[in-house]
Amino acid sequence: MNRIVPYIIFLLLLLYPNPLYSQALSPLSNNFQFELYNTNNGLTDNFISKIVTDKKGFLWIATKNGLSRYDGFHFKNYTHIPGDSSSLRSIWTTDMLLDSQGTLWVSTEGGICYYDEVNDCFRYINTSKDMQVLYKAPLCPGNDRSTIWVAAEDGLCRINTITKTFTHTSLHRTPDPQCIISDNHNRIWIGTRTNGMYRYDGTTHQHQKLNIPVIPADCQIMDFYKDTDGMVYGGTNAGLLCINDTTIQLFNKGSGNVSTTDFDDIMCITSFPKLTGPDRLLCGTYDNKVLVFDKNKKAFIYSWQNTNAKLSNMPHGIFSCLFTLHNILWIGTDHGMYKLNLDKQDIVTENIPQIMFSSNIVLVKQILQDPEQKHLLWMTLDKPLGGIAIYNTTQKKVTHWLQTLPKGKCPETCTAYNDLLTDNKGRIWALNDKEIHCYNTKTHSLTKHMLPRICMSADLDKENNLWIGTDKGILHYNTQTREYKLFDHVFNGTPVENSSLWWQFAATGIRHDGAHTVWVTSIKYGLFSFNCNTAQFTPHRQPFNTCYETKNRCSSLSFDSAGNIWIGTMAGLTTYYPRNDSFVNYNRIHGLQSTYVYSIRMDNRECIWGRGNSGIFYYDIAHKKFTNFLLPAEQSSAFFKQRISRADNKILAGFEGGYNIFDAPTLSTGNEAPPQPYIADCHVMNNRYYYNRDSVAFQQASFGHHASIFRFDFSAINYNDNNNATFLYMLDGLDKEWQKTDMPSYASYTHLSPGKYTFKVKTRNSAGIESTVIATFPFTIQSAFWQTWWFYTLIACALMALLYALYQVRIKRVTALYRLRSKISKDLHDDIGAALSSISIMSAVTQRKIDSHPQEAKIVATRIENTSRNMVGAISDMVWSINPDIDTLEQIIIRLREYMSNMFDETQTQYLLHCSPQLLTRKISMELRKDIYLISKEIINNTVKYSAAKHFTLYFSIEQHMLVMNAEDDGVGFDTTQTKKGNGLYNIIQRVKEQKGRSSITSDNNGTRWLIKMPLLK
């Protein structure tokens, strides 16, 4: 929020006795309060060229360093950014205009541009060669809604605001143009600096350079203004031009307080009837003057100029532009922008040049209104001057100096008064450290009385006797007999309290209740009551458990009508309720900005005014509301010496060089409508996403699933009372309740899930009235593809397919196990069953022939032995083949080598079994293992029985994931085409087919050769 700047002298009240605002201004003063805005507040530059407002209410300020946009809280600046074609081409901006469609047009040294609100940038309609702008290109609206006229060095141009294009007119040269205006007859008037005036007829397209006898040929024409009656006025260095249909008149004479009109160029002209009354113009000049021109009298009736260099915040410098908005006057200067708000004249400032010396400015400590002559103010002055100055509010000067230090004397010897009060006999009583001074208000005669104590504060009882707070207690002074009585008090506080100040008691505040009790505030120990009958002190201290409590460091006190005591403390404001001996404290939590309160005073409405370390404050007891007035730095020194005073229904507070007047009845009631909020900007994932509130109604913002961090900047347009607005915001779709902040701010949200949201902002004033408009920003965060319904459906289908596949695998495994078991069962039934049946039959034959044919029985028994042996071998092979621990080809090779040894050792055949090393550790399935073993065994068995070979070789290798078996012997061979297929040969071929392999056999007189290939992986 912009800092409230000091309020200074501006004597425009003399211009027009308007009853609309005369009630709000005290007869004690005719000042206005101003607020200054400069680069310290955020303005891009202090040299102001033009001020306008747009259709939304933003204030646009053209400066010599770009543009500033102001909403009453914050400035947003636009300047030239090298390489950015959407920024201003030049920082030198000289004129602005709002067309009939609400588009803002700006003239710069780089040409003419308009503000693109949707994209928050500027679009130029010309190139550097199309239009020549040396210093200024003034703008004015045409008589039709689509025309703007601009005067450049190379002549007059017409801008079409619809097509955003411009065309040159027949006027090809306007040197150094300063101002332009279109009158009611479609004539364009162009004023230049030292090059005269030009006129262009928009209907006939004729132009001419005017010869105006009333002004010199090199006259500087700086501004035009068209009144409501169509009259055109021109500001020049020779006076004010009045241009009507047929004549041009010059006015530079004065009347009233303007006897002579000595001024430089009239730089700007406007009207502000709410300030000056009707039929009057305000004119700002180059040399820091404000002139008021009466159109009926045809003369300047008032002139004002700031000549006091010490008042740095008074409007001064080159008055370059004037702009009015409702009850506010904006003044553009080369020192910043000043605001005069007629609705907020709660403080009036009087500066007293007579106490503003070059080496020192004297502090006004306390003010007392003369009991009879209300226009006179008695002011106690601080060192180095001291004494009392009687200030005449009508004459605006000090008329009498009482006990002030003569020139050349030591400042330490001056009379510095600590308190000032008047009795019901019209006498003024003043207290310094050791004396009581009594002044006669008519003759100013003085009576002195020495006292044995340091006098700090005083109050009068019903008998006009003084009760005085001293450094050691209190003192009663009889104003009739001039006798006094001391009531010292020694209070034993904590060691820190006892040693905190050099005074024994330090009674800085004292009040008599009108009965028999005196209430005293001690800056060391707190609140005390003194019973006048018993002469006893009673402490009323707030409890604490430390070495001291700042709430018990009390400076001053005041009574309300209910008998409650209001106390200023070093911890804020306190109310003491004597009936139940209780305290209520007020501090920053309750709206009081000051921590230390040095002086308080009850006004005639029973509201508390106080002076604290953060300025002046006002507390409305009935509505329980604080209003804080932040004073400028030059009015904030020595604030602990300043006392709040009353004059009629006004509150007075001095400062170095003058005093402020606070008018309580004009304080805001809070019933005004709150300012309308707006969303200033939006940041998504820490990147700016410019938000235009007009565009959202047509297209809702949409962001990808990665956009989970949002920040919304919000504010309100409010130039009237920035302290009277509370902001409420929420994110619909996430927040359940409205969030609250007292300042324009921002709201951040992180980890937002996909969905639809609406960010909302509204305002509320102190009376609880909410804004009729809620600023909204609706947006959508899109879901990622893995967060969509179709992706969830796909995942569900895939999961079901996976479960089905697992189910099928399980079924296949169960089926394979069943087939294996069936095969094992079949093999056992076929081979072992047949063998057992054969053994059973041969056993029966042997039993019959063992006696009659023993030789034949012996042969049959041999067969039984062989069959049993074969059956045991078959069972052993079967058990070996299904053993899960035997799952590599190396183990098959070991068993085959054992089998070949058993088969070939009793023959003459030499055998060789070989396997590729990479196959030895290869894991193979049980079915393949079994078939390899049985095929190999069958080939070996046939070789032993039929080949009569001398050599046999069995070789295992791998070829492209295929197991290759090469078996070869050099036996007698056989005819593969003629030989009847036996079970052995058939079994070999059948087993290879079951493994989806291939087999071939060749046999001749040189031997037999097998080539078998089976896949290792099915």
Side-chain angles (χ1 to χ4, degrees):
M1 181 185 295
N2 292 291
R3 182 177 60 86
I4 299 178
V5 298
Y7 305 123
I8 47 79
I9 300 177
F10 197 74
L11 305 179
L12 291 179
L13 181 62
L14 298 177
L15 304 179
Y16 182 70
N18 191 336
L20 178 65
Y21 53 81
S22 60
Q23 181 181 2
L25 299 174
S26 170
L28 297 172
S29 173
N30 48 24
N31 300 337
F32 282 91
Q33 66 183 50
F34 276 82
E35 294 182 37
L36 169 64
Y37 302 89
N38 53 29
T39 53
N40 295 329
N41 307 105
L43 196 63
T44 186
D45 190 69
N46 287 337
F47 198 110
I48 311 300
S49 304
K50 191 67 175 287
I51 304 171
V52 299
T53 184
D54 64 16
K55 61 183 180 181
K56 295 179 180 177
F58 289 112
L59 204 68
W60 289 83
I61 304 102
T63 76
K64 297 299 184 276
N65 189 33
L67 294 174
S68 291
R69 192 184 76 181
Y70 183 54
D71 62 4
F73 293 96
H74 299 126
F75 286 94
K76 182 176 182 179
N77 297 324
Y78 300 84
T79 186
H80 171 66
I81 303 175
D84 186 356
S85 60
S86 64
S87 68
L88 296 172
R89 287 182 186 168
S90 170
I91 62 174
W92 194 279
T93 59
T94 57
D95 206 358
M96 293 184 295
L97 177 68
L98 203 70
D99 66 19
S100 58
Q101 289 80 35
T103 302
L104 178 70
W105 292 83
V106 184
S107 68
T108 71
E109 278 193 323
I112 308 301
C113 61
Y114 65 93
Y115 176 59
D116 182 350
E117 186 180 14
V118 174
N119 297 293
D120 192 30
C121 64
F122 291 88
R123 310 289 187 189
Y124 278 82
I125 64 172
N126 68 291
T127 65
S128 57
K129 298 180 180 180
D130 294 335
M131 187 180 298
Q132 296 177 14
V133 179
L134 179 62
Y135 168 73
K136 188 174 182 180
L139 303 167
C140 78
N143 286 0
D144 61 87
R145 294 176 57 84
S146 62
T147 297
I148 290 178
W149 297 98
V150 55
E153 289 289 327
D154 54 350
L156 178 67
C157 297
R158 179 184 181 275
I159 299 174
N160 188 312
T161 60
I162 305 299
T163 62
K164 304 295 190 297
T165 59
F166 74 97
T167 55
H168 288 280
T169 67
S170 59
L171 179 56
H172 298 307
R173 176 70 173 152
T174 52
D176 200 2
Q178 295 298 308
C179 53
I180 185 172
I181 199 165
S182 175
D183 65 17
N184 291 344
H185 302 286
N186 200 23
R187 295 177 300 182
I188 315 303
W189 301 77
I190 304 170
T192 70
R193 181 162 48 190
T194 72
N195 289 286
M197 185 186 298
Y198 294 80
R199 185 175 66 193
Y200 176 84
D201 193 311
T203 304
T204 64
H205 308 296
Q206 300 296 317
H207 67 272
Q208 67 180 121
K209 182 177 180 180
L210 301 177
N211 181 18
I212 305 175
V214 296
I215 59 174
D218 60 350
C219 183
Q220 301 185 44
I221 306 169
M222 306 305 295
D223 192 27
F224 283 125
Y225 175 78
K226 185 166 69 173
D227 210 342
T228 55
D229 56 6
M231 187 73 71
V232 174
Y233 294 89
T236 75
N237 61 335
L240 185 68
L241 289 176
C242 180
I243 305 172
N244 58 22
D245 293 342
T246 58
T247 62
I248 300 178
Q249 297 175 284
L250 178 68
F251 299 103
N252 52 18
K253 303 297 183 181
S255 65
N257 79 323
V258 186
S259 57
T260 60
T261 53
D262 180 20
F263 57 84
D264 285 346
D265 302 27
I266 295 178
M267 302 294 293
C268 48
I269 311 169
T270 192
S271 63
F272 195 21
K274 293 182 178 180
L275 176 67
T276 65
D279 299 325
R280 288 170 179 174
L281 298 177
L282 282 177
C283 304
T285 72
Y286 188 85
D287 56 344
N288 182 31
K289 292 179 181 178
V290 173
L291 307 175
V292 178
F293 179 78
D294 191 310
K295 294 188 292 183
N296 297 323
K297 295 181 180 180
K298 306 295 184 183
F300 293 96
I301 63 172
Y302 188 78
S303 176
W304 171 86
Q305 183 180 23
N306 173 22
T307 58
N308 193 334
K310 292 183 179 296
L311 301 176
S312 59
N313 289 297
M314 179 181 289
H316 64 288
I318 301 173
F319 286 4
S320 54
C321 62
L322 299 171
F323 178 72
T324 61
L325 179 66
H326 307 305
N327 289 343
I328 299 175
L329 172 67
W330 301 88
I331 302 176
T333 74
D334 60 340
H335 289 76
M337 180 175 66
Y338 293 85
K339 180 177 78 171
L340 172 65
N341 189 344
L342 295 183
D343 290 337
K344 298 298 174 183
Q345 300 305 312
D346 300 325
I347 306 177
V348 176
T349 299
E350 283 282 4
N351 292 279
I352 306 174
Q354 292 165 280
I355 61 173
M356 302 173 71
F357 307 108
S358 58
S359 59
N360 205 340
I361 301 177
V362 180
L363 170 68
V364 177
K365 296 174 60 178
Q366 189 175 358
I367 304 171
L368 184 66
Q369 189 177 28
D370 191 283
E372 295 182 0
Q373 303 181 71
K374 300 295 184 180
H375 65 286
L376 298 180
L377 298 179
W378 293 61
M379 302 179 178
T380 60
L381 305 179
D382 197 19
K383 298 175 182 180
L385 197 59
I388 293 176
I390 301 178
Y391 182 74
N392 189 312
T393 59
T394 302
Q395 300 177 9
K396 305 298 176 185
K397 66 179 182 179
V398 177
T399 58
H400 295 86
W401 303 90
L402 307 177
Q403 293 295 301
T404 54
L405 187 70
K407 187 176 181 180
K409 296 292 185 178
C410 176
E412 298 302 322
T413 63
C414 73
T415 301
Y417 290 116
N418 296 324
D419 206 352
L420 190 68
L421 65 163
T422 180
D423 61 19
N424 56 17
K425 294 182 179 180
R427 296 173 296 184
I428 301 292
W429 296 88
L431 283 73
N432 63 22
D433 284 351
K434 293 292 185 178
E435 293 179 331
I436 297 178
H437 292 181
C438 180
Y439 289 95
N440 185 301
T441 58
K442 294 180 180 180
T443 64
H444 302 154
S445 59
L446 171 62
T447 302
K448 300 182 180 180
H449 193 146
M450 292 291 296
L451 294 175
R453 297 287 184 266
I454 297 175
C455 301
M456 296 182 166
S457 57
D459 193 23
L460 287 159
D461 60 20
K462 292 187 296 185
E463 286 78 24
N464 264 353
N465 295 322
L466 285 172
W467 290 88
I468 302 172
T470 71
D471 58 331
K472 295 185 177 181
I474 64 176
L475 180 153
H476 179 263
Y477 181 80
N478 191 309
T479 59
Q480 299 298 324
T481 64
R482 305 299 173 92
E483 296 178 350
Y484 64 84
K485 188 175 183 179
L486 297 175
F487 299 96
D488 293 343
H489 182 60
V490 177
F491 182 80
N492 187 21
T494 66
V496 172
E497 289 179 316
N498 295 335
S499 61
S500 60
L501 295 171
W502 54 90
W503 299 303
Q504 175 180 305
F505 188 71
T508 54
I510 188 168
R511 287 292 181 271
H512 193 282
D513 69 354
H516 56 79
T517 304
V518 175
W519 293 87
V520 181
T521 53
S522 168
I523 198 64
K524 290 184 67 170
Y525 299 117
L527 178 67
F528 290 79
S529 62
F530 175 78
N531 191 307
C532 300
N533 297 329
T534 63
Q536 296 294 319
F537 284 88
T538 303
H540 306 273
R541 286 159 49 90
Q542 301 200 47
F544 61 99
N545 52 14
T546 57
C547 57
Y548 74 96
E549 171 56 63
T550 53
K551 297 185 184 68
N552 289 326
R553 293 186 174 231
C554 303
S555 60
S556 58
L557 74 160
S558 187
F559 296 136
D560 62 22
S561 59
N564 303 316
I565 302 173
W566 293 81
I567 310 163
T569 75
M570 299 302 102
L573 182 66
T574 295
T575 309
Y576 175 68
Y577 298 93
R579 294 181 180 178
N580 54 15
D581 191 31
S582 62
F583 292 88
V584 174
N585 299 302
Y586 303 90
N587 48 40
R588 288 183 176 270
I589 298 176
H590 306 91
L592 175 61
Q593 293 182 356
S594 294
T595 303
Y596 308 138
V597 176
Y598 300 103
S599 175
I600 64 172
R601 173 79 69 172
M602 189 79 67
D603 66 10
N604 59 350
R605 300 191 312 165
E606 287 218 346
C607 295
I608 294 293
W609 290 83
R611 180 56 164 115
N613 62 305
S614 294
I616 304 294
F617 67 87
Y618 165 84
Y619 182 66
D620 190 327
I621 299 175
H623 297 91
K624 299 181 179 180
K625 178 189 175 183
F626 279 96
T627 302
N628 298 278
F629 300 91
L630 180 62
L631 302 178
E634 55 264 36
Q635 295 186 14
S636 297
S637 60
F639 43 75
F640 55 91
K641 295 182 179 181
Q642 301 171 17
R643 293 208 175 194
I644 298 293
S645 306
R646 273 181 58 180
D648 295 330
N649 62 338
K650 306 296 187 294
I651 296 296
L652 310 180
F655 58 84
E656 289 183 337
Y659 64 97
N660 288 319
I661 305 171
F662 298 85
D663 198 351
T666 64
L667 291 176
S668 173
T669 62
N671 293 324
E672 301 86 357
Q676 301 302 323
Y678 72 96
I679 300 173
D681 221 335
C682 172
H683 290 79
V684 183
M685 301 301 292
N686 298 321
N687 295 316
R688 185 175 185 238
Y689 173 85
Y690 180 69
Y691 164 68
N692 177 263
R693 53 179 171 174
D694 289 340
S695 64
V696 174
F698 301 101
Q699 183 177 2
Q700 189 179 65
S702 181
F703 305 96
H705 66 88
H706 62 281
S708 61
I709 302 175
F710 284 75
R711 166 179 162 163
F712 301 97
D713 299 337
F714 53 86
S715 186
I717 300 175
N718 183 24
Y719 308 115
N720 205 30
D721 186 4
N722 293 351
N723 295 322
N724 192 30
T726 297
F727 289 83
L728 304 170
Y729 66 91
M730 72 176 300
L731 183 61
D732 194 7
L734 179 67
D735 293 333
K736 302 300 182 183
E737 297 178 350
W738 290 90
Q739 310 298 315
K740 177 182 176 182
T741 178
D742 293 331
M743 295 284 290
S745 185
Y746 64 88
S748 296
Y749 298 91
T750 59
H751 303 96
L752 289 182
S753 302
K756 293 185 177 181
Y757 300 91
T758 300
F759 181 73
K760 301 178 180 179
V761 179
K762 61 182 179 180
T763 57
R764 178 190 297 161
N765 64 13
S766 58
I769 301 174
E770 295 186 352
S771 57
T772 57
V773 174
I774 298 179
T776 61
F777 177 67
F779 64 97
T780 300
I781 301 178
Q782 301 293 337
S783 300
F785 72 88
W786 59 82
Q787 297 172 315
T788 58
W789 66 268
W790 58 264
F791 182 79
Y792 292 144
T793 303
L794 182 62
I795 291 296
C797 293
L799 184 60
M800 293 175 63
L802 177 62
L803 294 175
Y804 180 76
L806 294 175
Y807 172 75
Q808 291 297 322
V809 170
R810 174 64 177 168
I811 292 298
K812 288 182 179 180
R813 288 182 177 179
V814 172
T815 303
L817 181 60
Y818 173 77
R819 290 175 179 173
L820 177 61
R821 290 175 178 177
S822 298
K823 187 174 182 181
I824 293 173
S825 175
K826 182 175 179 298
D827 291 343
L828 289 175
H829 180 271
D830 293 344
D831 297 339
I832 298 177
L836 291 176
S837 298
S838 176
I839 290 173
S840 177
I841 294 172
M842 287 187 292
S843 297
V845 172
T846 302
Q847 191 174 14
R848 288 197 304 269
K849 292 185 177 183
I850 193 170
D851 294 331
S852 57
H853 302 87
Q855 200 64 27
E856 293 180 4
K858 185 176 180 181
I859 294 172
V860 175
T862 302
R863 292 178 181 174
I864 292 173
E865 180 184 1
N866 292 335
T867 300
S868 300
R869 186 179 295 111
N870 292 336
M871 183 179 67
V872 171
I875 293 173
S876 176
D877 291 342
M878 185 175 296
V879 173
W880 176 86
S881 65
I882 64 176
N883 187 349
D885 295 331
I886 303 174
D887 56 356
T888 61
L889 193 62
E890 182 180 15
Q891 292 166 317
I892 298 176
I893 297 301
I894 293 173
R895 187 168 181 86
L896 285 176
R897 184 173 288 114
E898 180 182 354
Y899 180 75
M900 291 173 69
S901 176
N902 293 333
M903 295 297 292
F904 286 110
D905 282 350
E906 295 180 359
T907 66
Q908 300 298 319
T909 303
Q910 296 181 0
Y911 60 91
L912 176 64
L913 176 61
H914 180 73
C915 180
S916 298
Q918 61 267 34
L919 275 174
L920 292 177
T921 58
R922 189 69 176 263
K923 293 182 180 293
I924 55 179
S925 64
M926 182 181 66
E927 291 84 357
L928 182 59
R929 182 173 70 243
K930 176 185 175 184
D931 289 337
I932 292 172
Y933 179 72
L934 294 180
I935 290 171
S936 301
K937 186 176 177 181
E938 188 66 34
I939 292 174
I940 294 170
N941 187 54
N942 289 339
T943 300
V944 172
K945 287 185 177 181
Y946 308 114
S947 67
K950 296 182 179 179
H951 300 89
F952 175 75
T953 303
L954 180 59
Y955 182 76
F956 292 91
S957 62
I958 187 171
E959 180 181 311
Q960 296 182 350
H961 302 292
M962 299 288 286
L963 175 67
V964 181
M965 294 177 57
N966 285 289
E968 184 178 351
D969 65 62
D970 57 356
V972 296
F974 63 93
D975 187 357
T976 57
T977 61
Q978 299 295 326
T979 302
K980 182 180 178 180
K981 292 183 179 180
N983 288 335
L985 186 60
Y986 174 78
N987 288 337
I988 291 174
I989 296 173
Q990 196 63 29
R991 291 182 188 278
V992 172
K993 288 182 178 180
E994 290 179 356
Q995 293 296 331
K996 301 185 185 304
R998 301 188 302 273
S999 64
S1000 64
I1001 180 173
T1002 58
S1003 184
D1004 51 27
N1005 295 330
N1006 295 323
T1008 303
R1009 290 164 295 281
W1010 284 91
L1011 177 60
I1012 299 173
K1013 295 182 179 181
M1014 292 181 292
L1016 288 173
L1017 298 175
K1018 288 189 177 181

